[in-house]
Amino acid sequence: MTRVVRVDPEHPDPARLAEAGAVLRSGGLVAFPTETVYGLGANALDPAAVARIFAAKGRPAHDPLIVHIAAVDEAARVAAAVPERARALWARFAPGPLTLILPKHPAVPAAVTAGKPTVAVRIPAHPVALGLIRAAGVPIAAPSANKFGHTSPTTAQHVLDDLGAAVDWILDAGPTPVGVESTIVDVTVDPPALLRPGGVPREALEDALGGPVVWRGDVVAAEDVRAPGMLPRHYAPRVPLWLFEGPRAWAREALWQTAAQLARGQGQRVGALVPHADAARLRPLGVVVADLGPEHDPAGMARRLFAGLRDLEAAGVEVILARTVAEQDVGLAIADRLRRAAAHIVRPASRAVAS
Ligand code: TXA
Ligand code: MG
């Protein structure tokens, strides 16, 4: 039986965290909020517990997990070395939505890192996540708490919907404040590589390091499994998503015309995941709108993104229309997730190009 336990997001009850920590130490699975998305946690040093994560998610064994610790000085338990660049990034962004790829410590089971010589390490900023790691007294391996390939969960209900009985405990502290996953940076290579844009903007990383961080996400080949989160169609909703990419005015208009054609012309049940300014013109067409909020507030749009996709699925739409946003700050992560969710990318020149 899954136990859903409400906790205060700022001041979680220590007795609850102690109980949840004991569940983790005894090999159980505890889903918990981080500042980005909900994670599905297990004791990172217990191979049997880690195996339960892969089974619950339906995740392939070649996709490694992120190990969560509560402070920089705990990194020595899971990483064989912490390079100067890692310390510089953590000095600025820990705790926070940043994951660093480091050389792996022998104590970390091969199942966690999918046999790689490196390990992904993150110090989350959410008081519940930090309290849980401290209460457990062990590093916690935790992928996003969704079925493999589905949209990441930003509420406890999303976790229940995807994983239900496979989880022992769910700590429910309400919606997660960032809404997209952590930024992943490989600091074992020179220059450091951005493997996944996320809550910490690339601009801020480069500022902290005083040098470039290489973003190869645009050109990554489908067979590259260094970070499977970067593969096309990784963050997929369960209905096809058409992404309109190009100049803002063109994308807005093309999306509206397509919505009109599908909804009015073909009688389809159409969903749209759009900034607030687009919503009013779409609703009269009978389109189900997930409103991302003001376009000048990328943090707000990131927070609403995954819930918006799930709301549209739940509304039973047959197709979801979305358009890209400016790729500054967390906007790069939004654009990246939309691209990976897209079944089709529609651009001005080509009109319809499969992703
Ligand atoms: O915000 C987050 O990072 C959330 C919360 C729960 O912390 N976690 C999360 O985990 O997004 P997951 O498993 O959904 O995504 C982790 C990504 C995967 O794409 C995985 O391939 C990559 O990290 N990864 C893990 N270990 C790696 C390694 N050693 N080298 C390269 N990529 C790695
Ligand atoms: Mg994930």
Side-chain angles (χ1 to χ4, degrees):
M1 263 296 282
T2 308
R3 249 184 98 182
V4 181
V5 179
R6 285 231 34 123
V7 288
D8 186 273
E10 292 301 324
H11 304 285
D13 180 355
R16 291 302 194 198
L17 295 180
E19 275 184 87
V23 171
L24 286 170
R25 273 197 310 279
S26 64
L29 296 184
V30 176
F32 61 97
T34 76
E35 75 278 32
T36 59
V37 300
Y38 275 73
L40 177 61
N43 177 356
L45 306 179
D46 176 349
V50 168
R52 287 188 62 196
I53 290 180
F54 285 90
K57 284 191 56 122
R59 183 178 177 115
H62 63 72
D63 192 357
L65 306 177
I66 296 175
V67 176
H68 297 69
I69 57 175
V72 174
D73 58 22
E74 292 170 16
R77 290 180 77 177
V78 294
V82 181
E84 199 42 52
R85 281 193 303 236
R87 291 185 191 282
L89 289 175
W90 270 335
R92 182 97 153 247
F93 303 112
L98 176 67
T99 295
L100 299 181
I101 306 298
L102 300 170
K104 172 188 170 303
H105 191 288
V108 178
V112 171
T113 63
K116 286 170 180 292
T118 53
V119 61
V121 184
R122 160 155 141 78
I123 305 168
H126 200 294
V128 175
L130 286 173
L132 179 65
I133 299 165
R134 293 202 183 101
V138 291
I140 299 180
S144 50
N146 50 277
K147 277 282 185 200
F148 180 72
H150 196 212
T151 312
S152 291
T154 56
T155 67
Q157 186 62 49
H158 295 162
V159 179
L160 260 180
D161 291 345
D162 270 28
L163 303 177
V167 190
D168 299 307
W169 270 50
I170 301 177
L171 293 173
D172 178 1
T176 56
V178 175
V180 291
E181 303 89 339
S182 62
T183 301
I184 304 181
V185 181
D186 187 347
V187 289
T188 68
V189 295
D190 194 23
L194 179 63
L195 299 187
R196 180 176 73 182
V200 173
R202 175 191 187 180
E203 297 89 330
L205 298 169
E206 295 188 326
D207 188 56
L209 290 171
V213 174
V214 180
W215 165 229
R216 39 199 287 292
D218 291 336
V219 292
V220 86
E223 62 272 18
D224 187 337
V225 289
R226 263 223 293 181
M230 301 171 65
L231 298 187
R233 301 239 54 207
H234 187 77
Y235 297 90
R238 290 183 171 139
V239 284
L241 183 146
W242 296 10
L243 178 62
F244 293 79
E245 269 194 355
R248 182 174 172 279
W250 176 87
R252 285 185 76 179
E253 191 56 29
L255 188 155
W256 186 86
Q257 280 178 17
T258 306
Q261 191 195 333
L262 293 176
R264 287 210 174 130
Q266 299 178 24
Q268 281 200 42
R269 196 167 161 75
V270 177
L273 180 74
V274 288
H276 185 69
D278 297 26
R281 205 171 153 226
L282 287 163
R283 286 205 177 94
L285 298 171
V287 171
V288 185
V289 175
D291 186 341
L292 291 173
E295 201 167 354
H296 59 74
D297 176 21
M301 290 198 292
R303 199 158 48 234
R304 295 178 194 99
L305 183 71
F306 289 146
L309 285 172
R310 284 176 181 257
D311 288 348
L312 292 174
E313 279 177 13
V317 301
E318 294 163 88
V319 61
I320 296 173
L321 308 181
R323 68 170 172 88
T324 42
V325 298
E327 298 195 357
Q328 273 116 43
D329 291 326
V330 78
L332 181 63
I334 298 173
D336 172 73
R337 302 308 187 272
L338 284 173
R339 235 175 244 169
R340 287 173 215 303
H344 296 288
I345 296 183
V346 189
R347 297 191 181 95
S350 53
R351 303 296 296 187
V353 180
S355 67

